Amino acid sequence: MTSTPPPAHVSARPSEARERLLATSMRVFYAEGIHAVGVDRVIAEAQVTRATFYRHFPSKEDLVRAYVEATDQNIRATMARAAQMTDEPGELLMLMVHGIGEEVCRPGFRGCPFINAAAEYPDADHPVRQAVTAHRAWFHDTLTSLLTRAGHPDPERAARTLFLLRDGAMVAGYLGDAEQARLALARGTETLIKPAYQDRHSA
């Protein structure tokens, strides 16, 4: 029996030029803003030709959506690595929160890349906003699942509250005292998940 060849559009390995374009966009869009950075800047810093750029991204909007989706995939991969460290949902929640706190305090932090992108694309039906919405839906579902597994009496409400704590820490970390934002997020999360442990230990 002969093997079926892969579809013609599937390459054997990711394009190095595309990866450079995406890496460059992730750096400059986050640091300086999406609308503030033009295609020519990305092309120059990625060291590719204009033809190469448009072969991979028919428009700047396609690149922006790829930037948001790549950021989402990086966060999902980080969460998957954390899940390999522990299968205890409360510990995993705190690992996630401490990771966010470290991000808030790192040099060059400019706030949440998804909130920033949404601010530049106010139309909820725009593909970039849809990519932001998809990430936030995944994050909410992840929080709800972890809180459910931890035995929280109201995981949906707790997930919404934790999401607000995370968003607030991102904004406060950029505009105010990053260390205080990190501490507030950690303490708020500990208070939020405490009912799950109280119920578990009293059972």
Side-chain angles (χ1 to χ4, degrees):
M1 184 176 70
T2 58
S3 61
T4 303
H9 67 277
V10 176
S11 59
R13 61 177 181 173
S15 162
E16 292 183 5
R18 185 183 188 281
E19 293 302 307
R20 289 203 306 275
L21 285 164
L22 194 51
T24 300
S25 71
M26 293 177 77
R27 175 172 52 82
V28 297
F29 286 164
Y30 181 74
E32 301 178 31
I34 295 169
H35 292 324
V37 177
V39 166
D40 289 343
R41 166 85 177 280
V42 176
I43 289 172
E45 296 202 15
Q47 298 182 326
V48 301
T49 65
R50 182 174 291 274
T52 297
F53 174 87
Y54 285 111
R55 183 165 66 249
H56 293 291
F57 302 103
S59 70
K60 180 183 176 181
E61 303 304 292
D62 292 301
L63 176 63
V64 174
R65 180 169 186 174
Y67 150 67
V68 173
E69 290 174 342
T71 304
D72 166 63
Q73 289 301 316
N74 286 346
I75 292 172
R76 295 190 192 213
T78 299
M79 193 66 182
R81 288 193 296 271
Q84 293 176 348
M85 299 172 62
T86 177
D87 60 359
E88 206 289 314
E91 290 181 5
L92 188 52
L93 274 169
M94 292 311 301
L95 280 174
M96 178 195 69
V97 165
H98 289 314
I100 294 171
E102 290 176 0
E103 180 183 359
V104 165
C105 292
R106 70 174 170 80
F109 179 70
R110 281 195 70 250
C112 172
F114 301 98
I115 294 175
N116 294 348
E120 297 202 50
Y121 289 86
D123 181 0
D125 294 326
H126 192 283
V128 172
R129 276 292 298 275
Q130 290 177 346
V132 171
T133 299
H135 167 76
R136 290 178 67 83
W138 165 81
F139 189 63
H140 176 269
D141 289 347
T142 298
L143 294 177
T144 303
S145 175
L146 288 172
L147 287 160
T148 299
R149 286 169 50 201
H152 196 284
D154 192 350
E156 281 284 348
R157 179 191 61 79
R160 290 193 298 270
T161 303
L162 183 50
F163 211 145
L164 286 172
L165 283 171
R166 177 263 181 201
D167 284 350
M170 287 281 185
V171 174
Y174 176 47
L175 298 178
D177 187 320
E179 179 62 16
Q180 288 301 314
R182 181 189 70 79
L183 290 172
L185 175 62
R187 290 167 181 165
T189 303
E190 290 170 355
T191 300
L192 192 66
I193 67 176
K194 189 178 295 183
Y197 289 98
Q198 288 176 336
D199 289 350
R200 177 174 293 183
H201 294 311
S202 63

